[in-house]
Amino acid sequence: MTRQCLCLLTPLALLGLLVGLADLSQGSAGEDEDYYMQELLTREQYNQVQVLEKPVASIPDRHVHPSQKPAKKVPKGKADSSTQTEKNRADVKSVKTANKKAEKNKKSALKTPNSISEGEGQYNSIKEECPPMGLETLKIDDFQLHASTTKRYGLGAHRGRLNIQAGLYEDDLYDGAWCAGRDDPLQWFEVDARRLTKFTGVITQGRSSLWSSDWVTSYKVMVSNDSHTWITLKNGSKDLIFIGNREKEIPVQNIFPAPVIGRYIRVNPRSWFPSGSICMRVEILGCPMPDPNNYYHRRNEVITTDDLDFRHHSYKEMRQLMKVVNEMCPNITRIYNIGKSHSGLKLYAIEISDNPGEHEVGEPEFRYTAGSHGNEVLGRELLLLLMQFMCLEYLSGNQRIRHLVEETRIHLLPSVNPDGYEKAFEVGSELSGWSLGRWSNDGIDIHHNFPDLNSILWDAEAKKWIPRKMFNHHVPVPEWYLSKNASVAVETRALTAWMEKMPFVLGSNIQGGELVVTFPYDKTRSQGVAREQTPTPDDHVFRWLAFSYASTHRLMTTANRRVCHTEDFAKEDGTINGASWHTAAGSMNDFSYLHTNCFELSMYVGCDKFPHESELPEEWENNRESLLVFMEQVHRGIKGVVRDLQGRGIANAIISVEGINHDIRTASDGDYWRLLNPGEYRVTARAEGYSLTSKKCEVGYEMGATTCNFIISRTNLSRIKEIMEKFNKQPIRLPVRQLQARRTRERRMGT
């Protein structure tokens, strides 16, 4: 590659051009830094080094974006006799074709590090790429991973998966890599594909650790059909030496000069960071060879019947897809934006309802958001798939979808942090690492950027201010948070305004990197405690809502599934109280519960934050039923309208449930929705200037909220005040009346 070419490439495009340095010890990252920030800073330094250095020998390659591999074709959906539906499906296909043409014209750099032989020189090759085999996504199980030696069980071969994370306190069970028991060139890490596979490349990382700096700087690759006879990849007569990592977090990809076929593949470290040990996290790129009789392949195969656009979408492509869905279903969809990102990208949402753009009395509002961490991409694509699915199924007459659309106002916001997503998307699904794109452009974690209302409420409870000086709900936002100088992302401000404007009842933010559903509170009540069960007054409702998603997910509650990183959430039915996992102040979930009527949960929908697009059909199958079931939970509990004697709806009336120390309020039309589990409840409605009214409301087990309306009358005092103010007179003050009563008593005593 010439110096002129190097100058033309962007720093991100040069991220993968790895070259040998004489002094590898200079690449050590600070061990005491915050782990996410450590990777971000290292990546910046890494990019600068790549611009300054000239490669020793580079592999020429096609410019194909790592996340833009063609997804596996799936059978078309069930036949539909409706001509209109077929036309709409054809519209989706035309969008796919247009997108694929755009991909071919799109310039995107494939990060391919250097590979040199054990002599000198450079080779020419025609390389081919396959998708990841699934070490990161757990499609490759622990029994398929082997190693020459291991330092201890927690650093065994089963931990040698790309992007696997170690716990904060490393122990003998869950560490962040495979580490060899001895540091010598005879060590190896092996993957058994269980069938003949065309291997095309390897991606490596160092060890995930706050306390250690371990990574492999070069390695050989060997393949075998029987695990006894091994063939080393060569350049002519010389063994190929692939250049590995320069630090522990940024993934490095090497594409083979030509595909090799075998059942087993080994990575044989040849050199490593001088101050560290042989430790690796690995992903193998490979395509299974046709073998219909292979048991292991058939057992794990998941095929979708939905004909949707299974690919990763750039910001422009996301807008285009939303527009197509809106044009296909103009009577039930509406596109709008809630604000802009730090770089000026609009935060687009799509509404799905039988009367889009309008709040209907008695109809609950639901929301899904995704992408607050820009590199957690799966949630974004799931929402884009969900909007396509609901449109097509509505047109085809699916009664379940029609009922949802006609009885619910649904809002989908697929990309809360489009700036972060574009950073991760540019690098690609396998090379973005664990944190590139996580934050907003101004370095803020949007999901944890809300005001800490927990402390305000708990402090008021300790001082016994509730309910005299403060309510147990709709906790106000502190003044400092509203100031222009506060460290609040523009995306967070847009979300806050949206949440205050819409009378949401239930919502979820979709995240990635784990398989679990978390529910409030997310902050521990005891100060200085990192983990502690901290339930809300609605804990039983939250647990049911979490379980409704987890239990219908294909993998979350599977007892024998492997843990993603360090926590075995399957034993908790795939759900956990957020604070008992790790404390976090100012979360979107806690803010939503304490400041609005909306019950919010977090869905962590996959171990892989940014799965290869060939995985999207299976991930859709994993989550489709869960996404629908959770939306249906918005119709559980009680609902109604609070009116005065003239039949007018009363806004901001308070709805209290006996035994639950958390109230909600009516919307502008006087309608309300209160999520409750089955049972009998005494419910009270009250409003300023009105007398309170109570009644028993029963919630059944069948789906559908119980109607529980209230009619409340004005108090005598409020009516007198209203009359006096109407005639421009001041009401008689209480002290004057008391004085007159005392004088009357004195006169009577005198007589």
Side-chain angles (χ1 to χ4, degrees):
M1 182 178 289
T2 64
R3 187 176 301 275
Q4 182 181 7
C5 293
L6 280 173
C7 294
L8 290 173
L9 293 175
T10 64
L12 278 173
L14 290 164
L15 174 61
L17 298 176
L18 185 57
V19 296
L21 284 177
D23 185 6
L24 289 171
S25 62
Q26 298 300 316
S28 175
E31 296 171 6
D32 57 347
E33 297 173 358
D34 174 80
Y35 209 58
Y36 284 129
M37 191 58 68
Q38 176 177 310
E39 180 186 344
L40 184 67
L41 295 173
T42 306
R43 191 179 288 272
E44 286 186 8
Q45 298 167 359
Y46 191 88
N47 290 341
Q48 294 170 2
V49 171
Q50 301 313 301
V51 173
L52 295 174
E53 294 189 353
K54 183 176 179 180
V56 176
S58 62
I59 303 178
D61 203 352
R62 299 167 296 161
H63 293 292
V64 181
H65 196 284
S67 68
Q68 302 289 332
K69 316 296 184 304
K72 179 178 65 177
K73 285 193 174 182
V74 295
K76 194 176 179 182
K78 49 185 175 293
D80 191 335
S81 58
S82 169
T83 306
Q84 179 64 30
T85 304
E86 291 301 327
K87 177 181 179 297
N88 290 322
R89 292 188 185 276
D91 288 342
V92 174
K93 287 187 176 181
S94 67
V95 174
K96 295 182 191 177
T97 305
N99 286 337
K100 287 179 180 177
K101 288 180 180 177
E103 287 173 39
K104 292 181 180 179
N105 297 327
K106 178 181 175 184
K107 270 194 170 183
S108 52
L110 175 64
K111 284 46 179 192
T112 307
N114 301 316
S115 175
I116 57 177
S117 62
E118 286 187 329
E120 295 179 356
Q122 174 177 334
Y123 56 83
N124 295 320
S125 59
I126 300 176
K127 294 190 296 302
E128 186 176 339
E129 275 194 73
C130 287
M133 291 181 59
L135 276 76
E136 183 175 7
T137 61
L138 307 184
K139 291 182 77 171
I140 298 294
D141 64 42
D142 288 351
F143 298 105
Q144 293 176 258
L145 304 178
H146 310 281
S148 52
T149 60
T150 58
K151 187 167 290 187
R152 61 173 182 268
Y153 176 77
L155 294 168
H158 64 292
R159 301 295 294 175
R161 301 171 180 272
L162 191 72
N163 283 322
I164 202 166
Q165 300 296 296
L168 180 62
Y169 306 105
E170 298 170 11
D171 52 39
D172 288 337
L173 294 178
Y174 301 113
D175 279 309
W178 160 67
C179 290
R182 300 187 300 273
D183 293 329
D184 61 52
L186 300 178
Q187 306 306 308
W188 46 261
F189 177 85
E190 177 183 307
V191 179
D192 175 7
R194 288 179 171 164
R195 62 183 297 180
L196 285 179
T197 300
K198 178 168 64 176
F199 300 113
T200 62
V202 174
I203 303 172
T204 59
Q205 281 175 308
R207 177 181 175 183
S208 167
S209 172
L210 282 170
W211 321 108
S212 304
S213 295
D214 305 303
W215 61 84
V216 169
T217 57
S218 67
Y219 59 89
K220 293 181 181 180
V221 175
M222 299 175 283
V223 294
S224 172
N225 287 331
D226 58 8
S227 78
H228 297 293
T229 304
W230 293 88
I231 298 174
T232 303
L233 270 63
K234 293 181 178 294
N235 175 26
S237 60
K238 304 291 185 180
D239 290 348
L240 278 175
I241 302 291
F242 293 96
I243 302 300
N245 300 83
R246 317 174 60 96
E247 55 80 60
K248 55 191 175 185
E249 279 300 326
I250 301 175
V252 172
Q253 176 174 277
N254 277 295
I255 304 300
F256 302 156
V260 290
I261 295 177
R263 170 174 167 174
Y264 303 88
I265 185 169
R266 278 183 181 177
V267 178
N268 168 220
R270 307 300 297 175
S271 62
W272 46 94
F273 178 54
S275 300
S277 303
I278 295 178
C279 294
M280 301 183 78
R281 290 177 285 169
V282 178
E283 182 62 83
I284 305 295
L285 306 180
C287 301
M289 301 299 289
D291 184 5
N293 298 319
N294 186 283
Y295 164 73
Y296 295 106
H297 175 67
R298 294 199 318 274
R299 183 185 67 174
N300 296 319
E301 189 174 26
V302 176
I303 299 176
T304 184
T305 58
D306 297 322
D307 189 17
L308 307 174
D309 189 14
F310 293 106
R311 55 187 298 275
H312 289 298
H313 298 80
S314 67
Y315 178 78
K316 182 178 179 181
E317 292 163 348
M318 178 191 75
R319 286 189 308 167
Q320 181 183 2
L321 181 60
M322 295 174 78
K323 183 179 178 183
V324 169
V325 172
N326 177 240
E327 290 171 350
M328 288 170 56
C329 298
N331 295 329
I332 63 167
T333 61
R334 177 178 72 100
I335 299 172
Y336 65 99
N337 74 81
I338 68 167
K340 292 183 179 181
S341 70
H342 185 271
S343 68
L345 298 179
K346 291 182 179 179
L347 307 181
Y348 284 107
I350 189 167
E351 176 189 340
I352 304 176
S353 171
D354 58 344
N355 286 297
E358 175 183 341
H359 171 71
E360 298 179 71
V361 176
E363 186 172 279
E365 307 222 8
F366 175 93
R367 70 168 180 256
Y368 271 132
T369 62
S372 57
H373 298 145
N375 62 329
E376 294 171 10
V377 174
L378 180 55
R380 169 191 175 109
E381 295 305 327
L382 286 176
L383 293 192
L384 294 178
L385 292 168
L386 180 62
M387 67 179 66
Q388 297 174 63
F389 176 79
M390 293 191 72
C391 174
L392 291 172
E393 293 300 303
Y394 183 89
L395 294 174
S396 67
N398 184 319
Q399 289 304 306
R400 181 186 188 187
I401 300 302
R402 279 186 169 270
H403 183 267
L404 255 178
V405 171
E406 291 166 3
E407 300 298 326
T408 320
R409 191 181 183 200
I410 301 165
H411 303 259
L412 307 179
L413 178 60
S415 191
V416 173
N417 181 9
D419 297 345
Y421 172 79
E422 290 299 303
K423 292 178 184 178
F425 178 77
E426 185 177 356
V427 176
S429 61
E430 310 311 315
L431 303 181
S432 58
W434 191 247
S435 63
L436 180 65
R438 174 184 174 89
W439 302 278
S440 66
N441 257 12
D442 47 350
I444 294 175
D445 183 335
I446 296 172
H447 183 68
H448 297 108
N449 189 220
F450 294 85
D452 177 14
L453 303 184
N454 305 59
S455 298
I456 296 174
L457 176 67
W458 296 337
D459 184 55
E461 288 178 345
K463 294 177 180 178
K464 301 187 184 304
W465 284 358
I466 296 175
R468 292 182 300 105
K469 294 185 178 181
M470 183 174 161
F471 294 111
N472 62 9
H473 63 287
H474 283 228
V475 179
V477 174
E479 288 295 326
W480 67 264
Y481 186 86
L482 300 174
S483 69
K484 291 183 179 180
N485 296 328
S487 297
V488 182
V490 292
E491 295 90 345
T492 312
R493 294 194 189 277
L495 281 172
T496 302
W498 185 50
M499 295 161 72
E500 291 174 339
K501 179 182 178 182
M502 300 290 188
F504 292 117
V505 180
L506 179 61
S508 164
N509 51 84
I510 305 179
Q511 304 195 44
E514 261 298 350
L515 269 174
V516 68
V517 179
T518 70
F519 52 89
Y521 289 123
D522 288 334
K523 179 183 177 180
T524 57
R525 188 154 189 162
S526 302
Q527 292 186 359
V529 177
R531 293 186 176 194
E532 178 184 66
Q533 280 281 347
T534 310
T536 66
D538 286 286
D539 190 56
H540 293 297
V541 177
F542 273 115
R543 288 182 181 276
W544 167 255
L545 293 171
F547 184 70
S548 71
Y549 193 98
S551 62
T552 50
H553 189 279
R554 285 188 62 252
L555 300 175
M556 277 191 190
T557 55
T558 303
N560 60 349
R561 76 169 177 86
R562 188 198 182 285
V563 300
C564 290
H565 301 286
T566 62
E567 303 281 349
D568 185 5
F569 295 114
K571 65 184 181 182
E572 302 290 341
D573 292 324
T575 69
I576 192 170
N577 171 252
S580 66
W581 183 13
H582 54 76
T583 186
S587 75
M588 185 174 179
N589 295 350
D590 289 1
F591 174 80
S592 181
Y593 180 70
L594 293 176
H595 186 64
T596 73
N597 289 342
C598 185
F599 287 32
E600 179 103 2
L601 295 85
S602 292
M603 282 40 168
Y604 292 80
V605 292
C607 301
D608 189 349
K609 290 184 176 182
F610 195 159
H612 190 272
E613 69 178 25
S614 63
E615 301 291 333
L616 293 180
E618 182 171 344
E619 292 294 354
W620 168 246
E621 287 297 314
N622 290 343
N623 289 277
R624 179 185 58 194
E625 181 64 17
S626 301
L627 291 167
L628 297 175
V629 167
F630 187 74
M631 279 194 287
E632 292 169 337
Q633 304 312 305
V634 76
H635 296 284
R636 181 175 295 277
I638 60 175
K639 66 178 182 180
V641 182
V642 179
R643 296 184 173 94
D644 61 16
L645 294 175
Q646 287 71 43
R648 295 171 298 196
I650 301 173
N652 222 31
I654 297 173
I655 305 297
S656 304
V657 179
E658 189 177 273
I660 301 177
N661 189 27
H662 181 81
D663 303 334
I664 62 161
R665 299 201 180 194
T666 57
S668 58
D669 296 312
D671 49 347
Y672 77 92
W673 307 263
R674 183 51 163 103
L675 297 176
L676 293 168
N677 285 340
E680 190 175 86
Y681 301 90
R682 176 160 289 278
V683 183
T684 301
R686 67 182 186 275
E688 186 176 355
Y690 291 84
S691 57
L692 61 84
T693 302
S694 298
K695 63 168 62 176
K696 285 188 177 180
C697 303
E698 187 173 346
V699 179
Y701 287 90
E702 65 280 357
M703 186 57 66
T706 301
T707 300
C708 204
N709 296 319
F710 291 89
I711 297 177
I712 55 179
S713 58
R714 300 290 296 270
T715 61
N716 291 334
L717 180 60
S718 67
R719 292 173 65 188
I720 292 172
K721 285 182 178 180
E722 183 180 357
I723 293 171
M724 299 295 283
E725 289 172 0
K726 182 178 179 181
F727 291 97
N728 224 5
K729 296 180 180 178
Q730 296 297 322
I732 300 172
R733 296 185 180 279
L734 185 61
V736 175
R737 294 201 302 270
Q738 289 176 343
L739 180 61
Q740 291 175 338
R742 188 175 65 181
R743 287 175 178 173
T744 301
R745 287 196 301 269
E746 289 173 351
R747 284 197 300 269
R748 289 175 180 174
M749 291 175 65
T751 59

